[in-house]
Amino acid sequence: MINMERARSVVADFQTLLDATPPEAAHVRPEAEAWTLSEIVGHLIDSASNNHQRFVRLRFGDLKGFPAYEPEPWVQAQQYDGCDFAMLSTLWSSYNALLLHLAACTPQQAKPNAWHRVSDSLTLEFIVADYYEHLQLHVEHYARRLAEVQTFLSHA
């Protein structure tokens, strides 16, 4: 079952973090392999855009052969760290307002439609709920990274 109160809450929590991010913190890379805050937001835009396709396409029936999302190459290819953070933040916010709308108006009869992958099948209902679980993990990840970057900047 899609818990819309929880979905709205996790979106609001991430929005609060975005609003609290100083522009100078957005592009700090604390470790060579770590994503910057801008790259985390970029990844979440990718997640929103990929899931948008699933949320809509699965309303019409099952999906077979639909591509998966590969975070590392996508983030690297799109060079999110070179983007204006305010633009990324606005895009994420707008995209997630749309996804909340789609989640709220998901037709009951479409919820069991499934994305058939090589290893398993995922229902639309699961995919929508999982999107917000994934976002919750990134709320926690982003909060830790923001604190880490702010500590780094205060010692620089």
Side-chain angles (χ1 to χ4, degrees):
M1 180 164 174
I2 301 166
N3 183 336
M4 289 307 302
E5 184 177 320
R6 172 121 169 84
R8 287 184 192 95
S9 176
V10 73
V11 168
D13 289 348
F14 195 71
Q15 185 64 57
T16 298
L17 286 170
L18 290 175
D19 294 343
T21 302
E24 66 274 10
H27 303 287
V28 174
R29 187 175 310 282
E31 300 169 21
E33 298 300 315
W35 281 352
T36 65
L37 295 170
S38 290
E39 289 169 330
I40 294 170
V41 176
H43 163 65
L44 292 174
I45 291 167
D46 291 344
S47 178
S49 67
N50 276 274
N51 278 290
H52 176 217
Q53 290 288 314
R54 295 174 192 140
F55 287 14
V56 175
R57 291 175 186 276
L58 282 165
R59 288 174 183 235
F60 304 112
D62 289 354
L63 286 177
K64 295 177 184 163
F66 196 76
Y69 165 63
E70 298 178 41
E72 291 291 337
W74 277 56
V75 168
Q76 187 176 39
Q78 295 178 84
Q79 300 180 20
Y80 286 122
D81 196 47
C83 291
D84 176 70
F85 185 76
M87 181 272 298
L88 291 173
S89 178
T90 299
L91 178 56
W92 182 89
S93 299
S94 296
Y95 223 137
N96 277 274
L98 173 63
L99 292 183
L100 282 171
H101 167 74
L102 292 176
C105 70
T106 299
Q108 192 66 31
Q109 69 272 16
K111 290 179 182 180
N113 293 347
W115 174 27
H116 300 287
R117 306 183 309 175
V118 172
S119 59
D120 58 11
S121 295
L122 306 173
T123 66
L124 174 57
E125 186 170 28
F126 174 85
I127 290 168
V128 172
D130 188 61
Y131 175 77
Y132 294 103
E133 292 300 318
H134 173 252
L135 182 54
Q136 179 61 50
L137 294 174
H138 278 292
V139 167
E140 296 160 12
H141 173 224
Y142 191 96
R144 287 190 310 271
R145 181 61 44 82
L146 179 57
E148 182 181 358
V149 167
Q150 288 175 318
T151 300
F152 174 81
L153 290 173
S154 71
H155 292 103

